[in-house]
Amino acid sequence: MGLKILTEHINVPGINTLETYRKMGGYRSVEKAVKTMTSEEVVEEVKKSGLRGRGGAGFPTGLKWSFLAKPEGKPRYLVCNADESEPGTFKDRVLMEKIPHALIEGMITSSYALGARTSYIYIRGELMFVLRILEKAIAECYAAGLLGENILGSGYSLDLHVHPGGGAYICGEETALLESLEGKRGNPRNKPPFPAVWGLYGCPTVVNNVESIASVPWIINNTGDEYAKIGVGRSTGTKLISASGHINNPGVYEIELGLPVEEFLFSDEYCGGIWKGRKFKAIVAGGSSVPILPGELFLKTAEGTPRLMTYESLSEGGFVSGTMLGSGGFIVMDDTTCIVRNTWNFSRFYHHESCGQCSPCREGTGWMEKILHRLEHGHGNMHDIDLLVNVSKQIEGNTICPLGDAAAWPVASAVRHFRDEFEWHVKHPEKATAPGAVYSGAEDLAFA
Amino acid sequence: MEQTTTQNEVQFSDAAMAEIRRYISHYPADRKKSAILPILHIAQAEFGGWVSPEVQDKVAEILDIQPIEVYEVATFYTMFNLKPVGKHVLEVCRTGPCMLRGADHLIEHLESRLGCHVGENSADGLFTLKTVECLAACGMGPMLQIREKYYENLDPQKMDQLLDDLSKE
Amino acid sequence: MAKITFDGIEVEVEDGTTILNAARKIGGKVVPPAMCYYTPLKGSGGKCRVCLVKVTQGSAKDPRPMPKLVASCVTPVQDGMVVENTLSPQVLEARKGVVEMLLINHPLDCPVCDQAGECDLQNLSYEHGTSGTRYEEERRTFDRQDIGPLIQLHMNRCILCYRCVYTADQITDKRVHGVLGRGDAAEIGTYIENVIDNDFSGNVIDVCPVGALTDKTFRFKNRVWFTKPVDAHRDCPKCSGKVVLWNRGSDVLRVTARKNEYGEVVEFICNECRFEKKEMSDWIIDGPRHIARASVISANHYELPVVNPQIIADLPESTTKELHLIPRPI
């Protein structure tokens, strides 16, 4: 069993209540921070920890905090991004649902570090039942003097509110989230200026993922140096992995970064291997936005080095033969999976979720979905496969926000690694579109 | 308490108004518009599961903004129903991870059982069948949402049981 | 002040100026096109992506290049910045891609579109587009929406630049239209049937880069290249009264605001001037409107007399420039 920082007490009965949470050592970081540390010292510990943003981009959290502008006379805000909507990712939801105080403790300690007097948790509107759990936990904190005026007699005051979204993946992008929090359509902003200078209501703002914020209490309790000892190299600490798809034990697992991917996928402690005794075909390892990899390239790099669960190891080989850890959403596919259908499904998702503000994404995501729909249903031609890649290139890098890249990468990588399966759909549409049809390799392509 | 809307007369219950005021208090006094999404959720629950233009106008009035500002927001976010819905809105996840675990079969099953297509209401008006994108329940798929509740690890048998239970409500 | 190098040309501008406006200070062929940015409208820009440029050096202090192409209309300059537009094949390729995206769902109804001849999208596709299409799918269409007796809305032609929304927000007192829906289903509309009507609502026509918002009082009256634009003014209590009249003979077919060389309205005009003053006697004529020589409008109207090159050479430069005279063989 690896070290558990976030989920150690997840199965303790009553851990969702303040009483039990405190009994298990909760809110010590608030006590320590507001009573014995300056806000700069808290920031410094988080910097030392090497903690990287757990929402997908992997940007160092402490560094992000240090960019926060501190002009006189303007409030500063901390906003927690709990708009977890990336297909394959459901870790934040499980954490908030089971241990709401883990996030709230992190919010108080982090708000203190940033000098915020009002902070918000922006949670996706579909998770209304989790919002109610959080609001109940927040009410407990107000009653116990952990929120509100003069927290624990320290002189520091903080208000914390939960804000529901309305159903829009794009609001996971931090500036779209801020627009949405201001009561507008979730259209991402042009950057610069970044939220650290011009964020919520035009004030300096930090937006952090749930898991990042929930990791802060342990860092403050045990020091950043201790946290940095967990993991490998620049991938420090533990990470929540959401495991879904064709595996025996889907669920959320906390792992120490550096765990061999093979162990994670096949050991009974974690995913428990591929279901129904089938073979491992492919995986999307960081939430739907990252490039898909064939099983063999996921387990070992192109050079044959076994991969580890770290930001660096998973991205080894770049986009040619690697992928990204992203938000840690593992979508595993067995050998009965149709890659074309899966790619079409993802493409439909991005088409549905594009905000429509900038032209390459608004028009391009729909175009890609239509081409993939055609290919999947046996109406495509060879030329469509190249067109698809070409359209994805016209979107990638040319949009206001990263949704364009997120829509382009799964498509480009699917064609890169599984081109023969796309060609099979063109050459033998009657076979490829038959119910339950599975592409089984080059022989199919030649003689089917 | 549920209320119905009549032309030109939209009145929130006292409990709903209290909840609305609580949300408005979360934002700076000159940033009332921030409360628009929470209020639209309250309105949808209050007025039969959808937000009519009259309800949206009422939201604009509460927030001191132009009605178009509410329309722009309500039509952007997919959780708000802009047309009348059945008593139970079934929102089935159709995205990749759920699809891998059989969401397509579940949707087909629902269509044949309810006798309607995705996006439509069942003949008895009891159910509205919708498909939605990822609901952050990928490890528990296939799944669906009804109001604030998630129903996870579903198969056609469990689905039938659930529909039977809901029909009796 | 910040000094930047744009397509190899040095230019000095105020701090905080956008890359696009720095390029406009240079002028000519190097200026990136812009379909959504509009100087008079605060907050506009960044959406259409046709003005993408490559920043090969971020600033003198931090010379690293920017990792992605940036929208020049919303990216401020830094001292020592080096930017490539027409010199960068990557930029030209990306722009071609964006133009294609803008066109895939745009109807091919130029022959019946009132905007034809003065359409930014036509010009853009002429300069940066390709002659064929790779889009085999059915084009997106929207239900027709009536927004009143003065303004015609053709949503199918809209490229979602948001200019009309900013205009209604910033120069009229009560906005009734906006962007509804999401993604490629997003549309300009009033949601419930409503008339866009207030003293300055007609300006949404002038800011629209395509034929999505056109003048209903001019609808199908004439092709713009058959009309003759003249500058005129009147004493108006509501606006500057400085307009362009688009005439056929002595009939005033259309009234618009005056625009600069980038198609931006110089002074917004009121609906009375635009829609109600359609007699020559309503106006004091200032003189012919100067239209860019490349425009189809001037191609038809200011056909140059055949002039002896020697005569042109003898005229003062200011006169030849003013009259756009160029020597032609006799």
Side-chain angles (χ1 to χ4, degrees):
Chain A
M1 285 283 280
L3 177 68
K4 303 273 186 278
I5 285 175
L6 298 159
T7 59
E8 188 185 353
H9 305 302
I10 200 160
N11 292 321
V12 173
I15 192 68
N16 58 337
T17 64
L18 179 62
E19 193 191 346
T20 308
Y21 183 73
R22 284 193 101 164
K23 238 181 249 164
M24 305 311 295
Y27 288 101
R28 276 186 297 140
S29 79
V30 173
E31 191 125 15
K32 184 173 177 184
V34 299
K35 285 188 173 169
T36 69
M37 297 170 79
T38 64
S39 55
E40 290 78 14
E41 284 167 347
V42 180
V43 175
E44 197 49 40
E45 286 305 319
V46 174
K47 263 188 169 172
K48 279 191 206 156
S49 74
L51 173 67
R52 291 166 71 172
R54 300 298 195 222
F59 192 81
T61 306
L63 198 58
K64 193 173 189 176
W65 286 11
S66 66
F67 290 152
L68 186 69
K70 297 190 168 76
E72 283 293 318
K74 258 193 178 182
R76 302 192 280 276
Y77 292 103
L78 171 63
V79 178
C80 174
N81 184 346
D83 190 61
E84 187 176 50
S85 314
E86 173 93 359
T89 312
F90 51 104
K91 64 186 176 75
D92 295 338
R93 169 216 155 172
V94 169
L95 185 66
M96 292 185 289
E97 193 181 355
K98 304 274 188 197
I99 325 178
H101 286 287
L103 172 61
I104 296 165
E105 179 179 359
M107 284 300 286
I108 301 171
T109 307
S110 307
S111 298
Y112 173 73
L114 299 167
R117 294 305 173 93
T118 306
S119 295
Y120 296 97
I121 298 170
Y122 182 104
I123 190 166
R124 60 179 301 182
E126 291 89 343
L127 294 178
M128 202 57 92
F129 61 100
V130 181
L131 175 140
R132 309 231 183 267
I133 292 169
L134 287 169
E135 287 203 326
K136 200 172 152 214
I138 287 172
E140 287 181 299
C141 289
Y142 271 101
L146 285 160
L147 277 171
E149 292 295 316
N150 194 13
I151 292 171
L152 300 175
S154 65
Y156 174 65
S157 306
L158 174 71
D159 282 314
L160 178 60
H161 305 298
V162 195
H163 180 103
Y169 167 72
I170 188 60
C171 292
E173 196 276 345
E174 61 180 8
T175 59
L177 184 149
L178 295 174
E179 286 284 299
S180 181
L181 186 46
E182 291 183 3
K184 303 177 200 157
R185 296 160 61 83
N187 284 350
R189 298 175 181 167
N190 281 291
K191 288 149 288 231
F194 290 92
V197 176
W198 185 273
L200 183 62
Y201 310 131
C203 299
T205 303
V206 166
V207 183
N208 280 144
N209 169 262
V210 171
E211 188 188 346
S212 313
I213 289 173
S215 300
V216 170
W218 195 95
I219 293 168
I220 299 310
N221 290 335
N222 300 276
T223 76
D225 288 334
E226 282 303 306
Y227 190 88
K229 286 179 192 163
I230 313 164
V232 179
R234 287 179 58 237
S235 295
T236 64
T238 65
K239 171 94 192 78
L240 295 178
I241 304 291
S242 321
S244 66
H246 298 150
I247 46 174
N248 282 314
N249 313 323
V252 173
Y253 299 98
E254 182 171 6
I255 57 146
E256 285 182 45
L257 287 168
L259 185 79
V261 293
E262 193 164 350
E263 185 183 338
F264 180 72
L265 195 53
F266 292 105
S267 85
D268 287 335
E269 191 185 335
Y270 301 107
C271 299
I274 310 301
W275 75 346
K276 300 179 181 175
R278 290 183 187 155
K279 283 192 204 128
F280 176 32
K281 179 172 181 175
I283 186 168
V284 175
S288 61
S289 307
V290 309
I292 188 172
L293 277 187
E296 57 273 23
L297 268 182
F298 171 69
L299 295 171
K300 286 181 178 160
T301 64
E303 278 75 46
T305 319
R307 285 196 202 266
L308 306 176
M309 304 281 276
T310 63
Y311 292 95
E312 293 75 20
S313 178
L314 286 177
S315 57
E316 211 174 306
F319 277 8
V320 177
S321 61
T323 181
M324 291 161 80
L325 180 58
S327 57
F330 274 53
I331 309 167
V332 181
M333 296 166 211
D334 70 20
D335 55 355
T336 67
T337 311
C338 174
I339 297 297
V340 179
R341 186 169 184 77
N342 194 69
T343 311
W344 165 52
N345 184 293
F346 281 172
S347 201
R348 183 178 65 185
F349 173 82
Y350 291 104
H351 177 203
H352 184 264
E353 298 300 335
S354 167
C355 79
Q357 191 185 197
C358 69
S359 20
C361 179
R362 176 181 67 239
E363 306 294 344
T365 51
W367 194 0
M368 288 199 302
E369 193 214 323
K370 284 171 184 159
I371 299 170
L372 278 158
H373 182 271
R374 244 188 298 138
L375 285 165
E376 159 64 10
H377 291 84
H379 308 300
N381 58 43
M382 283 302 183
H383 166 76
D384 282 334
I385 302 171
D386 293 321
L387 178 63
L388 190 59
V389 175
N390 197 265
V391 173
S392 83
K393 296 288 170 221
Q394 275 172 223
I395 303 172
E396 186 184 348
N398 293 337
T399 52
I400 296 177
C401 83
L403 193 140
D405 298 346
W409 293 342
V411 171
S413 59
V415 176
R416 185 184 312 126
H417 296 300
F418 298 96
R419 193 181 178 103
D420 49 351
E421 205 168 324
F422 284 84
E423 291 183 358
W424 182 57
H425 277 72
V426 173
K427 283 188 184 161
H428 304 289
E430 70 296 337
K431 286 237 164 200
T433 56
V438 184
Y439 175 66
S440 55
E443 279 178 25
D444 265 348
L445 202 55
F447 306 111
Chain B
M1 252 256 305
E2 285 204 5
Q3 304 210 347
T4 49
T5 63
T6 54
Q7 203 76 25
N8 305 324
E9 199 200 333
V10 177
Q11 207 60 49
F12 282 96
S13 65
D14 291 346
M17 269 321 288
E19 187 70 352
I20 287 171
R21 275 192 290 272
R22 184 176 73 87
Y23 269 110
I24 291 175
S25 76
H26 290 174
Y27 314 99
D30 58 339
R31 298 289 186 171
K32 258 167 95 175
K33 192 182 173 183
S34 274
I36 191 167
L37 290 177
I39 296 178
L40 282 169
H41 281 299
I42 294 167
Q44 180 154 300
E46 182 96 339
F47 299 112
W50 71 295
V51 284
S52 65
E54 293 78 23
V55 167
Q56 295 184 50
D57 289 349
K58 181 72 184 174
V59 174
E61 187 192 311
I62 291 171
L63 292 173
D64 295 321
I65 54 179
Q66 299 296 338
I68 187 69
E69 295 180 67
V70 182
Y71 309 151
E72 285 180 319
V73 168
T75 57
F76 184 88
Y77 298 93
T78 49
M79 285 184 77
F80 304 112
N81 297 311
L82 305 171
K83 286 187 291 189
V85 290
K87 187 176 173 196
H88 304 287
V89 182
L90 310 177
E91 300 183 290
V92 192
C93 174
R94 66 177 187 181
T95 316
C98 274
M99 180 193 74
L100 293 176
R101 303 287 289 210
D104 289 356
H105 300 300
L106 191 69
I107 294 164
E108 276 170 31
H109 180 75
L110 277 166
E111 286 188 321
S112 74
R113 162 91 199 237
L114 297 175
C116 69
H117 290 110
V118 170
E120 298 173 351
N121 295 352
S122 62
D124 57 8
L126 212 51
F127 297 99
T128 299
L129 180 60
K130 270 173 91 174
T131 52
V132 294
E133 297 295 352
C134 189
L135 289 174
C138 314
M140 298 74 118
M143 59 81 64
L144 61 78
Q145 175 171 25
I146 303 173
R147 293 217 173 158
E148 292 189 13
K149 203 161 180 233
Y150 278 18
Y151 298 86
E152 300 174 325
N153 297 307
L154 293 173
D155 55 39
Q157 289 72 39
K158 284 187 200 164
M159 199 60 245
D160 283 341
Q161 184 61 50
L162 178 59
L163 291 180
D164 289 342
D165 293 348
L166 289 169
S167 301
K168 283 179 207 140
E169 264 182 31
Chain C
M1 295 297 278
K3 198 184 268 182
I4 75 160
T5 309
F6 189 95
D7 265 0
I9 304 162
E10 277 196 7
V11 61
E12 201 169 4
V13 290
E14 296 272 336
D15 289 326
T17 307
T18 60
I19 296 174
L20 178 70
N21 281 329
R24 284 184 177 181
K25 198 174 173 193
I26 298 168
K29 288 273 180 208
V30 298
V31 182
M35 296 293 288
C36 68
Y37 173 78
Y38 210 66
T39 311
L41 299 172
K42 201 168 159 272
S44 66
K47 294 174 171 41
C48 73
R49 316 305 284 176
V50 300
C51 73
L52 289 173
V53 292
K54 189 180 173 74
V55 176
T56 55
Q57 179 175 315
S59 68
K61 254 191 249 165
D62 182 359
R64 287 176 302 172
M66 290 191 180
K68 290 179 179 180
L69 302 183
V70 300
S72 59
C73 66
V74 289
T75 309
V77 298
Q78 303 283 335
D79 191 42
M81 189 182 254
V82 180
V83 185
E84 285 181 358
N85 178 31
T86 61
L87 297 181
S88 163
Q90 187 194 348
V91 169
L92 297 178
E93 190 60 29
R95 187 167 297 147
K96 208 169 104 188
V98 176
V99 173
E100 182 177 29
M101 295 294 187
L102 287 173
L103 288 173
I104 58 172
N105 278 302
H106 191 83
L108 283 172
D109 64 350
C110 306
V112 294
C113 176
D114 277 329
Q115 189 87 0
E118 53 175 18
C119 173
D120 291 348
L121 189 58
Q122 274 186 329
N123 296 340
L124 186 74
S125 39
Y126 186 76
E127 296 260 333
H128 301 282
T130 51
S131 53
T133 180
R134 305 187 293 170
Y135 190 68
E136 295 173 24
E137 272 65 35
E138 208 171 302
R139 273 159 212 254
R140 175 180 62 231
T141 55
F142 294 88
D143 292 337
R144 264 172 186 267
Q145 225 193 106
D146 188 2
I147 56 168
L150 301 176
I151 305 164
Q152 181 71 36
L153 170 63
H154 279 284
M155 187 53 218
N156 292 349
R157 297 175 188 154
C158 176
I159 60 157
L160 284 170
C161 70
Y162 285 63
R163 281 180 188 173
C164 62
V165 180
Y166 289 112
T167 303
D169 242 352
Q170 292 170 25
I171 70 162
T172 71
D173 48 3
K174 196 175 147 212
R175 179 161 70 91
V176 298
H177 87 287
V179 178
L180 305 166
R182 186 168 86 190
D184 61 3
E187 61 177 315
I188 299 292
T190 53
Y191 192 56
I192 48 170
E193 190 155 302
N194 205 341
V195 172
I196 298 183
D197 183 24
N198 64 64
D199 284 350
F200 284 83
S201 63
N203 288 294
V204 298
I205 298 165
D206 283 343
V207 301
C208 182
V210 294
L213 293 164
T214 51
D215 185 338
K216 243 183 195 172
T217 66
F218 176 64
R219 196 159 186 235
F220 301 145
K221 286 260 170 75
N222 224 305
R223 308 305 325 215
V224 291
W225 55 87
F226 292 139
T227 63
K228 184 173 173 183
V230 290
D231 283 353
H233 73 271
R234 65 182 271 267
D235 236 351
C236 178
K238 290 181 191 153
C239 69
S240 71
K242 290 180 187 162
V243 302
V244 181
L245 306 178
W246 300 76
N247 295 348
R248 188 82 197 256
S250 58
D251 294 339
V252 179
L253 296 185
R254 183 171 69 140
V255 183
T256 69
R258 296 183 191 174
K259 296 180 180 182
N260 67 15
E261 60 181 307
Y262 299 110
E264 293 171 346
V265 168
V266 181
E267 282 169 295
F268 290 106
I269 61 168
C270 70
N271 281 9
E272 191 181 326
C273 286
R274 184 186 302 273
F275 297 120
E276 289 166 31
K277 300 294 171 190
K278 296 282 182 78
E279 299 295 333
M280 282 302 270
S281 54
D282 292 328
W283 300 97
I284 298 157
I285 306 299
D286 299 326
R289 178 83 192 153
H290 301 303
I291 300 286
R293 281 195 53 78
S295 165
V296 64
I297 298 169
S298 56
N300 230 310
H301 261 287
Y302 297 104
E303 206 171 309
L304 291 171
V306 177
V307 180
N308 184 331
Q310 191 52 48
I311 296 173
I312 294 177
D314 291 344
L315 287 169
E317 201 196 318
S318 59
T319 308
T320 51
K321 209 174 161 190
E322 178 78 1
L323 298 175
H324 301 289
L325 288 179
I326 48 158
R328 288 191 179 183
I330 299 174

